[in-house]
Amino acid sequence: MKANLAWDDFRLVKAIADHAGLTGASQALGVNHSTVFRRLGQIEEQLGLPLFERRKTGYVATVAGEEMTALAARMDEDVTAFDRRLAGRDVTPSGELRVTTTDTLYLNMLLPIFAMFRQMHPAIRLDVAIGNQTLNLSKRDADVAIRASDSPGETLVGRRIATLSWAIYARKDEGLTPEETADPAALLERNWVTLGDQLGYVKAARYVRDRVQPERIALKSSAVLGLTEAVEQGIGIGPLPCFIADQRPCLIRLTPPNPDFSTGVWILTHPDIRHAPRVRAFMDFCGSELAKKRGLLEGTG
């Protein structure tokens, strides 16, 4: 039987394989469950082959299903690459620009810079995705990433703006004696706050986990901003980014910036769109403005 398959059929099969079932596939594709079920049956009937084994644990691709999924992935990469190349041929700085960054950088550093950029380039609309997860610039999940990382991605282009420094902070009226402040071992006997397990990969979080007894950890937070507020409330001492804590008058540094905590701050894009006017305008402007904040980011001024 001749199979007249469309690109949407390949997308559907790939979505089922990626999510091991119809429910996840329907959510990813934005269609209802019954539509995915019906269309899969039609595709298998056209091919004369089963594409999935229906198991209690979910849908598992057959050999034919795996081949179709692999072909769909290659097709998706080609379509995305074509889209990137078209985006890189814009003539004027205009249109939508998708930017990904963290809530910490966005609220404490980037938002005023974005406001200035919009005044200069009102034809560029910013779509900002805020989160700690790393979006895929190769798949155009975002056009530009501003992130703190030691491994920004070998396939991306951009520049390292500064070093993001951390130190140990406390509330000013915490009642710490000069002897405690000068003795790292004494500080370990205080109550601490730290990042939660979701951010356990952050160097400062590993430091607390490795050195502070569990009973001395008074609070964990899934966000750096929440950690800063906890120190401000006097719940405990803890590691904070200098560019946030140094702007809080009620906080005081207990230690110099610890180089073991630091990461690079990068502004990055994909090579295929680096010369697009809206991308180039944004990266040039934001890179220049962030460079002016280097002392704040590095805890030196």
Side-chain angles (χ1 to χ4, degrees), residues 86-240:
L86 288 182
R89 294 174 184 170
D90 292 345
V91 178
T92 58
S94 62
E96 184 176 85
L97 185 77
R98 293 183 290 272
V99 183
T100 177
T101 190
T102 65
D103 55 354
T104 308
L105 287 168
Y106 179 72
L107 293 173
N108 291 274
M109 181 71 67
L110 294 174
L111 196 50
I113 295 175
F114 290 176
M116 289 189 291
F117 177 78
R118 275 282 301 159
Q119 290 178 345
M120 294 181 62
H121 299 281
I124 298 178
R125 306 180 307 278
L126 299 179
D127 180 1
V128 184
I130 299 172
N132 291 309
Q133 73 277 14
T134 301
L135 298 186
N136 193 327
L137 271 64
S138 296
K139 290 187 174 294
R140 295 295 304 280
D141 291 338
D143 299 312
V144 177
I146 303 173
R147 65 176 62 146
S149 176
D150 291 322
S151 52
E154 295 180 358
T155 61
L156 304 178
V157 296
R159 56 185 286 208
R160 180 182 172 122
I161 302 296
T163 296
L164 180 61
S165 295
W166 293 59
I168 307 299
Y169 287 83
R171 184 166 159 157
K172 279 186 178 178
D173 59 2
E174 186 72 18
L176 287 157
T177 66
E179 291 76 14
E180 285 181 298
T181 304
D183 183 3
L187 291 179
L188 297 179
E189 299 304 315
R190 307 289 300 194
N191 287 328
W192 283 69
V193 299
T194 187
L195 295 170
D197 296 338
Q198 310 95 317
L199 296 174
Y201 58 88
V202 176
K203 295 175 183 177
R206 293 203 302 264
Y207 173 90
V208 176
R209 184 178 64 237
D210 294 343
R211 289 168 174 78
V212 180
Q213 294 299 316
E215 61 269 17
R216 304 308 308 177
I217 298 177
L219 180 144
K220 293 182 179 180
S221 172
S222 62
V224 174
L225 293 177
L227 197 63
T228 305
E229 298 294 332
V231 176
E232 276 198 320
Q233 292 298 321
I235 296 174
I237 66 175
L240 299 174

